[in-house]
Amino acid sequence: MSFKALNLSPKLLKTIESLGYTKPSEIQQKSIPLLLNRKDIVATSQTGTGKTASFVFPLLENIEEENIKRTGDERYKIKALILAPTRELVIQIHKKIELYGENFTHKSVALYGGIKLGSQVSAIRAGANIAVGTTARVLDHIKNGSLNLVEVKMVVLDEADKMLEMGFIDEIREILSQLPKERQSVMFSATFPKSIRSLAKSFLINPITVEIDKSNLSSKQIKQKVNYVKEEEKIPLLSTIVRLNKWNRVLLFTNTKFQADKIVESLRNDKVKASAIHGDKSQSMREEALKKFKNGDISVLVATDVAGRGIDIIDLPYVINFELPIKSEDYIHRVGRTGRAGKVGEALSLVCKKELNRLKEIEELINKKLDVITTEGFNFEIDIESKKKDKKRGVNLKKAKELAEKMMGKDKFDSKNSTKNRKSTSKSPRNKRHF
Ligand code: AMP
């Protein structure tokens, strides 16, 4: 299918061509016609699949249609609202709107915390008709009287699962209550837990479910590997891997801000150029770190899950999980940062003994066993069978299985296909984990 077949305007087609996009991605092929027809949709789509354009293209077209009917100041009232969980993601979406909408009359404003309300108020007053924001900042503007949403025709909740996970449900509901009932509503989510389904039920009208082919989740060419290691040897192993392989563009995830700073310090001591990006860093520091990483001035960007969500780097060959995430769904989000737009990527997890249960939960969720690699000087083995007898598993496999069924198709998760019966892809001896 071509972009032309999607019924987009010549001016948008011109921009798409100049960006070098030759073919709509699957989520774009499925969502764009529905959204142009002003349907409500719930879409299961990860970052890296072209999902931003899948809602921004129709949004630009539909609002332009509205604008043609209006004149003067009337043209500049907020017509579309996009909510996203993090500042980084808000900035990223805003930039995409500016990029995709270069031949349109719309003005977009990005509303996020960490900077004063004033400059955003001026941007709204200067005439914006698309607002992209975090829930907290959008509410600040509503309460401040600087954001009027009564003319909104389209609302998009991007990465809705993350927003709920971060506890924004009340804020979302409060914002939605400010919007006119007659509107188009769109929800994107990488995973579909019960909370997301119930939110969708309450704010969308007869939504059409859009899912991308499950096999595409893994067709993103990401090699997923695990290197077992003693907890206290993780930092030396990390330095060794980065230096030995001359990896110069690594996005590294860890679970806490404290750990992120510690890793940066240790890497710098080992002469590896690194910076951290997390919630305790100011907006300008985060932007500076990201810029340096994109320019190649630093090799390793250390991020927590929240900060890492909005990072959009096409050419990101390596993701390292210094620790496995507490929530297995975050593994999917982390790994999805690499292998974007059809590029090849590699995701390596450094796993110590106490994380084995989490690893098992992740492998159940993605229905795949990670390939085991070893690094010279860091090997030892553990007998998994005896470990299983010793320790009762503390993970909620039922929940992981439910999510996995939603994401990848129920049939794959019948007991006959459980990980127990799958052939291991690891190169290690049966029932042995290498550390
Ligand atoms: P997203 O999933 O929206 O974060 O998009 C991932 C990346 O793919 C973005 O940086 C886009 O520039 C790029 N992209 C989006 N649509 C296409 C397309 N149809 N062809 C090639 N690249 C695309």
Side-chain angles (χ1 to χ4, degrees), residues 3 20-25 28 46-53 92 96 100 312 314 340-341:
F3 276 107
Y21 297 179
T22 48
K23 192 174 164 281
S25 68
Q28 291 165 359
Q46 278 174 288
T47 182
T49 54
K51 78 174 155 79
T52 318
Q92 186 188 311
K96 286 275 163 62
Y100 298 148
D312 177 37
I314 297 279
R340 287 160 80 79

Side-chain angles (χ1 to χ4, degrees), residues 236-330:
L237 173 65
L238 172 67
S239 288
T240 304
I241 289 174
V242 172
R243 281 180 299 155
L244 202 72
N245 299 313
K246 298 195 171 58
W247 282 0
N248 56 7
R249 250 167 194 263
V250 180
L251 178 60
L252 182 137
F253 283 97
T254 191
N255 295 341
T256 63
K257 300 169 199 170
F258 173 76
Q259 183 70 279
D261 289 335
K262 208 172 118 190
I263 294 169
V264 168
E265 202 187 315
S266 309
L267 285 174
R268 285 180 181 166
N269 285 341
D270 280 351
K271 308 265 178 298
V272 177
K273 287 180 183 161
S275 265
I277 180 166
H278 57 64
D280 281 355
K281 303 272 177 189
S282 69
Q283 186 62 25
S284 58
M285 284 164 96
R286 286 154 79 156
E287 278 171 18
E288 181 66 19
L290 204 54
K291 198 167 134 204
K292 281 189 175 164
F293 186 57
K294 284 183 177 173
N295 292 343
D297 296 336
I298 54 171
S299 316
V300 182
L301 185 67
V302 181
T304 52
D305 286 291
V306 172
R309 293 284 281 187
I311 297 173
D312 177 37
I313 303 164
I314 297 279
D315 210 357
L316 178 65
Y318 310 108
V319 164
I320 294 182
N321 291 313
F322 186 80
E323 296 166 287
L324 290 176
I326 309 290
K327 294 190 175 171
S328 8
E329 309 93 89
D330 278 333

